[in-house]
Structures are given as C-alpha cells and as structure tokens.
C-alpha cells in the first residue's frame, strides 16, 4: 500500500481526518521522516517580566519535539511595552540561545506583532505603574514609538512589515499588525513573490487577525475586512495561521478549508469558547444577557499547536501546556492541497459528523436551592446535573450540551426553554474535565403549577445531537 493511501485510509477510519495522537505516533513510521516541525502559539500577553513560565515551558516542549521554528501569531506584549517584548525575547534565548537548540539545529523565529504589541499602551496599564507615571512610561517604552528598532534590539533581526523566510525548504510569510481592518500591501507582497510561493508544496502565512469568513466562520471575533481571504484564495497551497480570538482548539471550527486552509491558533494566556452558552460569553459584550451561571474561569487554558510536515500530509497536534495533555485528536491535512478534496471544509465535516452519546446508565439529577445569577441577583435556582461525555467513557467527547425544560400541559409536552452549557473544564484535556456538568435555571424560568422535567443531549461541534437522558417529572 502506498504511504498516501495508507494515511488516508487510517485517517478516514478515525473520521474526518482526525486521529488520536497515540495512534498517529504508531502510524508515523509509515510516512517516512518528517520534513519540517513548527511550534505554533499566539496571544502570549506577557504583562510582567516574571510571568513567562508558561511561555518558556512551551518553548521547551517545542525544543524537545525537534521544532525547526516557532510561530507566534501576535500579541506578545500585553500592553505594548518594550519591557514586555524584552521578557518574551529573554524566554526565547533561554531555550534557544543564538536561535539554536541544544543539538545545534537552527530554530527560526516566525513571530509577528499583534494589536496589543503596537496599540496595547492605549488599553490598560493598571498594575504596571501608578496612573501619574503612565504617560511617561508610554513616552519611553511604547513599542509603537519605534516598532522596527525595538524588534531589532530584542530579536536580533531586521524588522519588515511583511517578511518572507525559508525553513528547511518551506516558505513562511509573516505579516505584522496593520490596523483593525487589514495589512497594507499584503496582497501586493504575495503577488510579487508568487513564483516562490505557488506550486504543490505548501507555504505558510501568519497574521494576527483571522481572515474573514474562514476559521470560526461568521462568529469569529477579531476577523479582518476580508482582504487577506481574497489574497490568500489565489494560493491553494497556503496554510494560514492567525490568533486574536483566543478560541479553544477543541472547537473544530478552528480549522477551515476552502480555497486555502486557515487555522486559529488559540492562546497561550487565556482562552475563550463560543458565546451563547450558559457559562460562556462574547468578549466585549456590553448587554446583560440573562444568564444564571458565571463564566468559566479559563486562566489555566494555555493552548497551541505542533505542526509536523510530511511529503503526504501535514499533522497538527492540539495541545494545552499547563497539564501537558492533548485537547483533541490530531488534524491530518492530506497533501497536496487544492486538488478538489477538501476534508476540512465545514460542510464536509458537518456531513460526516457523528453525534456524541451518553454512556449507558447515565442519569439526570436535579437540586433546588437559593443562589445568585451571573449579575448577583439572589433567587431560588434549579440545578440540573448530568455526567460529562468524553472519548474515554463514550464514543467521543461532546463539545457542549443542550438542556431543555419540558412542561406537561394537559395532553401535550411543550419545550419551554432551551439552554446550552459547556462542561466545567471544557478548555482542558479530558483528564482534567471528568466532573459532572451542571446547567442552572432561575426562579422565573421554572413553570408554576405544572409538571416539568429536563432533557439533556450531548452536542458535537457542528451541531449533531445525541440521544437525550431525562430527569423525573416534578412540580414546584
């Protein structure tokens, strides 16, 4: 069996080109030697020089895995200060002195500025210096004062707004933050280098904002105006990496395949899930949507990717770097790209998706007690508890859960309210997310003088729902 046929048959057997990391490790020898390994992170958000432990630990993971380069897709310095970029560089050179690993191989810096790097001094300097000293600090240390000189000072290379680098024969284009809409000159740069970039061999593109209507679809926070999507669509061999939204890598909308491939890189500081769930929110949301549950604290959610390139495929390991665990099966992109086969298109994976199911014997229990909603209003609350759905106890891990309040009215049953909720540690690996899941209903949401019950369904990322489990009928 040819290597490409082997990897394709194994990947499809696991469903939608996702393969358990341990299984892929067993398969990898069939692919021959890897051609390239790249560590990938974004949104490091170093605020204080002494808080680089997670960054350095991640660099060491990439070092030990044989990385030939490391991508940081922007937002290194949380408030855009020179001292913060200096701390990032210091962590890098502790692991890769003179841009080399301990075995002597060169490890390329594939970094770009994000909005926090060049605008962050306008955001929030609380806790950096007293308010009366902030203006002077900005005057002395804002990266925006001379982004080129500060880049060269700490990263020991010339700053270029858009750069082209080569690592082991593979091309990388890095485009630094322009503004909230687009990056000036980016389409022209790609066209000027078309002869070097086009072909069957993949090349890799890095910017901070998500290309519009690619990864995370229309819900993406921080997408650009579409300029990059239009420009990159002319290069079917392109794999683009972006950050900005901090969205968890468990979200399979993190990878999109259309006229090119676009991948969200999550965050090495803290993460977000999609809004619309009882215990999540949308960054920057100003209206008080009625929620009974607080937002899950994801400060220990520090995620990134390790990319390994073979002749036949590109493998992307999704990982969190606090507890050192994979957060989902590896993504396996078949090569060459752009041959009509698009296994990572949203439509293809939605059609192929299999609904998660509760383990046999799962049950729902309900408790009532006084509590407070997200905004501190005290009331009687009804808490609905049920087991999590994980790959190790069921057919696959659920992305979230649908919880419906069903009321009995004469000879009818009516769905009165539907909520979606995430598991308690949805942003971590399965080993850290095996607690019960809870969804809370407020006093005004519960029908009076009618029997009601709760139905719970596990849901996968593209929306397919498993069979429900239900509570007993009850009255209040």
């Amino acid at each position: 069996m040819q290597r490409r046929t082997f990897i394709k048959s194994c990947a499809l057997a696991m469903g939608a080109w996702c393969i358990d990391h341990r299984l892929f490790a067993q398969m990898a020898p069939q692919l021959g030697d890897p051609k390239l390994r790249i560590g990938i992170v974004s949104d490091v958000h170093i605020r204080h020089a002494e808080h680089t432990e997670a960054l350095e630990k991640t660099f060491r993971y990439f070092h030990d895995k044989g990385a030939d380069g490391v991508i940081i897709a922007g937002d290194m310095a949380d408030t855009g200060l020179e001292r913060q970029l200096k701390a990032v560089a210091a962590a890098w050179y502790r692991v890769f002195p003179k841009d080399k690993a301990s075995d002597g191989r060169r490890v390329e810096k594939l970094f770009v500025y994000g909005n926090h790097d060049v605008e962050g001094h306008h955001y929030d300097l609380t806790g950096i210096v007293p308010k009366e000293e902030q203006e002077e600090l900005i005057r002395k240390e804002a990266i925006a004062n001379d982004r080129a000189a500060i880049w060269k000072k700490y990263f020991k290379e010339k700053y270029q707004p858009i750069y082209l680098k080569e690592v082991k024969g593979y091309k990388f284009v890095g485009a630094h933050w322009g503004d909230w809409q687009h990056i000036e000159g980016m389409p022209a740069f790609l066209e000027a280098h078309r002869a070097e970039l086009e072909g069957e061999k993949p090349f890799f593109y890095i910017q901070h904002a998500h290309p519009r209507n690619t990864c995370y679809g229309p819900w993406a926070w921080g997408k650009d105006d579409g300029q990059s999507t239009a420009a990159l669509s002319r290069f079917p061999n392109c794999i683009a990496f972006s950050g900005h939204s901090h969205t968890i890598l468990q979200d399979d909308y993190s990878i999109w395949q259309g006229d090119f491939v676009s991948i969200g890189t999550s965050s090495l500081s803290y993460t977000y899930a999609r809004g619309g769930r009882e215990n999540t929110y949308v960054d920057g949301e100003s209206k008080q949507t009625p929620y009974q549950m607080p937002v899950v604290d994801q400060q220990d959610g520090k995620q990134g990717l390790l990319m390994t390139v073979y002749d036949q495929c590109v493998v992307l390991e999704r990982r969190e770097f606090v507890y050192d665990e994979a957060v989902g099966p590896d993504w396996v992109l078949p090569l060459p790209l752009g041959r009509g086969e698009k296994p990572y298109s949203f439509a293809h994976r939605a059609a192929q998706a299999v609904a998660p199911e509760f383990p046999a014997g799962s049950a729902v229990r309900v408790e009532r007690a006084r509590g407070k909603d997200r905004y501190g209003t005290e009331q009687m609350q009804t808490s609905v508890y049920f087991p999590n759905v994980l790959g190790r106890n069921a057919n696959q891990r659920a992305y979230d859960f649908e919880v419906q309040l069903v009321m009995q009215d004469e000879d009818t049953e009516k769905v009165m309210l539907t909520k979606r909720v995430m598991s308690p540690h949805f942003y971590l690996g399965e080993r850290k997310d095996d607690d019960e899941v809870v969804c809370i209903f407020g006093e005004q949401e519960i029908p009076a003088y009618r029997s009601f019950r709760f139905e719970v369904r596990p849901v996968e990322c593209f929306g397919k729902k498993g069979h429900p489990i239900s509570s007993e009928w009850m009255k209040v």
Side-chain angles (χ1 to χ4, degrees), residues 47 121-139:
R47 194 172 181 88
H121 59 281
H122 294 308
Y123 297 166
D124 179 18
L125 291 172
T126 303
I128 306 293
V129 295
K131 189 173 182 178
E132 61 272 15
E133 298 177 23
Q134 290 180 7
E135 188 175 335
E136 179 67 9
L137 178 66
I138 292 170
R139 188 183 67 79

Side-chain angles (χ1 to χ4, degrees), residues 122-319:
H122 294 308
Y123 297 166
D124 179 18
L125 291 172
T126 303
I128 306 293
V129 295
K131 189 173 182 178
E132 61 272 15
E133 298 177 23
Q134 290 180 7
E135 188 175 335
E136 179 67 9
L137 178 66
I138 292 170
R139 188 183 67 79
K140 288 183 175 179
E141 287 198 37
I143 293 170
N145 294 338
D146 194 339
R147 64 173 74 180
I150 291 173
W151 185 273
K152 185 173 183 180
K153 180 178 180 180
Y154 293 110
F155 293 138
K156 317 299 182 188
E157 64 182 16
K158 181 182 177 181
Y159 172 81
Q160 303 173 76
I162 306 173
Y163 63 76
L164 175 63
K165 292 186 177 183
E166 183 172 315
V167 182
K168 297 183 74 173
Y170 290 85
K171 299 295 196 299
F172 290 80
V173 175
H176 293 281
W177 179 263
D179 57 39
W180 286 83
Q181 295 300 309
H182 62 273
I183 298 166
E184 189 70 32
M186 176 269 202
F189 184 94
L190 293 180
E191 288 303 320
H193 293 276
R194 173 172 287 279
E196 300 166 79
L197 299 176
E198 66 183 354
E200 291 198 338
K201 194 172 187 177
F203 83 89
F204 306 96
Y205 173 79
I206 310 150
Q207 69 173 37
H208 186 55
H210 299 311
R212 179 175 287 270
N213 293 331
T214 63
C215 58
Y216 310 121
W219 309 286
W221 184 91
K223 52 188 177 288
D224 65 14
D225 65 0
Q227 177 206 63
S228 61
T229 302
L232 295 171
S233 292
R234 296 194 285 269
F235 294 87
N237 61 323
C238 174
I239 299 177
F241 296 102
S242 54
H244 204 31
S245 71
H246 295 227
T247 305
I248 55 172
L249 291 170
Q250 287 92 330
D251 191 328
D252 279 314
Y253 279 89
S254 297
I255 181 170
W256 170 92
Q257 188 171 22
D259 292 330
F260 62 103
V261 174
S262 177
I263 299 172
T265 56
S266 194
S267 168
L268 201 63
S269 52
Y270 52 90
T271 57
Y272 292 117
R274 273 182 260 167
R277 277 67 181 171
E278 191 68 14
N279 50 359
T280 68
Y281 80 115
V282 176
D283 190 29
E285 191 173 56
S286 58
K287 295 180 180 178
Q288 284 198 357
T289 305
Y291 289 120
Q292 291 294 314
M293 299 177 66
V295 176
V296 173
D297 182 359
Q298 300 173 55
Q299 290 298 316
D300 57 343
K302 301 181 188 301
Q303 299 188 354
L305 299 154
L306 179 67
M307 176 175 70
T308 306
V309 181
Y310 298 89
D311 284 333
Q312 293 80 28
C313 62
V314 174
V315 180
L316 292 142
E317 175 192 346
R318 297 180 273 175
R319 193 163 189 84

